[in-house]
Amino acid sequence: MAAAWVVAGLLGAQAAAAAVPAVECRNCTTEAHEEALALGIPGQGIRFVYNFRHHSIRKFKVYVDSGLPSGSFVTDGVPVEPQPVDGARVQTRSGTAVRTLYEMTVDSDMVVLFREMDAFNAAYADAWSGQFRIDINNLGLTNGDTGVVHFDPQRIGWDYPDGEGFRFMDRVSDLLGGINSSASVDGRLSRLIHGILRPATGISIEGGTDGAMAGVQLGSIGSEFTVDFCSSDDSCVIVRMTLTTNGLRSDYLGAFDKLDVSFPSLQSTLPIRRQWSGGGIENARSMARFIANRMGGTYSVEAGMTCNRVTMACIETGTSFICKVYCP
């Protein structure tokens, strides 16, 4: 299964409407910095600028003004509805087409969402990097060769897109799709998906004379992040998650050992070949043993290995695999 879909109906009936951009003003110390950022976002219309340092969010409408004689000035900040905060007015030269803005009252639903974003940032500031590392055991047990076992990155990589690889992606979809079940996998990820990203897609934003707009696109996280599901030996399965018009899509990116060497797949082109730095002898031995056991073959390790690179190569003899670990 090349991709799995979670958070069904995430966008709902409002999916066709353009999302309103909401961007973080990092290291901003003045309101003028926030206003400059709002003006710098491409296009026109509504946009939000938020500042985690000041625990604040502002709403602007950007438009093009060309109605006054050249050399004169236009002072903005007189919105269609309520008056802007003090100091939010922007004076800019007019006469030619210039981008300018006025400030609007932040919608109540957006205020609630930002409070959650602000609290989330205080608790997990690093989560905005878009990278998560989660214990793969949090996904529960699966069927193994001799009974139920925890998911294993090496087996997932070997079986994908079938077998344990299929069951792994299906489990990720099932668990992350629900508020309660996702919390059992990882509290940060659950809160991000169901407390921030999902509500953001359904918010109705008042657009003044242009009517309502649907959904908010958050600049802090964007629409894509990755999750590393890792075992106790630091081998991991990497899953990319992308917010789309149909929901949250999860894509398998690969499975890797602790030295970032990818685990082979049964579908790999033969011969299978992997290389490690000189300290990767045990990783190479483990991978050779795994493949040989899976395919009913044998493996060997070149005696007295002291080299800067370690190579594992496996070939098929017709009825089995033969793997060897050696210095190139």
Side-chain angles (χ1 to χ4, degrees):
M1 181 171 64
W5 296 89
V6 300
V7 193
L10 193 63
L11 300 185
Q14 297 178 334
V20 177
V23 297
E24 180 186 357
C25 200
R26 299 181 181 179
N27 302 316
C28 291
T29 58
T30 68
E31 290 185 339
H33 290 154
E34 297 167 352
E35 291 153 13
L37 178 58
L39 280 170
I41 300 172
Q44 302 179 54
I46 303 298
R47 63 276 324 271
F48 293 96
V49 174
Y50 52 92
N51 190 328
F52 287 133
R53 173 185 288 186
H54 294 157
H55 310 288
S56 64
I57 185 169
R58 300 169 70 187
K59 178 183 178 181
F60 300 99
K61 184 170 184 179
V62 171
Y63 62 98
V64 174
D65 182 278
S66 59
L68 296 180
S70 178
S72 61
F73 288 86
V74 56
T75 299
D76 307 302
V78 183
V80 174
E81 47 99 23
Q83 192 73 10
V85 298
D86 292 340
R89 296 174 183 271
V90 177
Q91 190 180 68
T92 184
R93 190 174 298 277
S94 190
T96 57
V98 292
R99 289 166 58 80
T100 187
L101 54 74
Y102 59 74
E103 186 168 11
M104 302 174 71
T105 300
V106 179
D107 305 78
S108 58
D109 286 348
M110 190 63 196
V111 171
V112 173
L113 178 65
F114 177 70
R115 286 174 181 165
E116 172 61 15
M117 291 170 59
D118 197 33
F120 181 78
N121 181 72
Y124 311 111
D126 60 337
W128 297 118
S129 68
Q131 297 180 323
F132 294 83
R133 181 184 172 97
I134 296 173
D135 186 345
I136 200 170
N137 290 346
N138 292 353
L139 295 175
L141 300 172
T142 186
N143 294 322
D145 296 334
T146 59
V148 292
V149 294
H150 287 292
F151 285 101
D152 177 76
Q154 194 164 29
R155 295 195 305 266
I156 292 168
W158 182 256
D159 288 351
Y160 185 83
D162 302 314
E164 188 160 333
F166 175 87
R167 294 193 296 272
F168 167 78
M169 291 300 294
D170 193 51
R171 185 71 58 81
V172 168
S173 300
D174 286 345
L175 292 182
L176 292 183
I179 296 177
N180 295 331
S181 56
S182 61
S184 69
V185 177
D186 185 82
R188 299 165 303 158
L189 193 56
S190 176
R191 190 171 174 182
L192 177 66
I193 295 172
H194 297 285
I196 296 176
L197 295 181
R198 186 175 185 179
T201 63
I203 286 180
S204 180
I205 303 300
E206 177 59 46
T209 57
D210 296 333
M213 303 177 71
V216 173
Q217 177 65 44
L218 302 176
S220 289
I221 191 67
S223 60
E224 184 176 291
F225 53 94
T226 60
V227 182
D228 298 359
F229 293 93
C230 301
S231 57
S232 59
D233 63 358
D234 290 327
S235 58
C236 302
V237 183
I238 315 301
V239 178
R240 179 180 61 223
M241 297 186 172
T242 308
L243 199 65
T244 75
T245 55
N246 294 314
L248 191 67
R249 172 173 172 163
S250 58
D251 291 291
Y252 172 87
L253 297 185
F256 303 84
D257 70 13
K258 65 181 179 181
L259 297 180
D260 293 328
V261 176
S262 64
F263 290 121
S265 165
L266 178 61
Q267 311 299 326
S268 297
T269 302
L270 295 174
I272 295 173
R273 181 183 173 91
R274 294 291 187 272
Q275 285 195 325
W276 293 258
S277 64
I281 176 64
E282 289 305 318
N283 293 60
R285 186 196 305 270
S286 173
M287 197 173 292
R289 181 189 306 116
F290 175 86
I291 296 173
N293 290 343
R294 281 273 163 159
M295 303 308 295
T298 61
Y299 77 95
S300 62
V301 179
E302 195 171 86
M305 290 181 59
T306 55
C307 50
N308 294 327
R309 287 186 301 157
V310 177
T311 296
M312 181 213 71
C314 298
I315 61 173
E316 188 176 21
T317 64
T319 58
S320 66
F321 271 48
I322 297 177
C323 298
K324 182 176 181 179
V325 178
Y326 62 96
C327 292

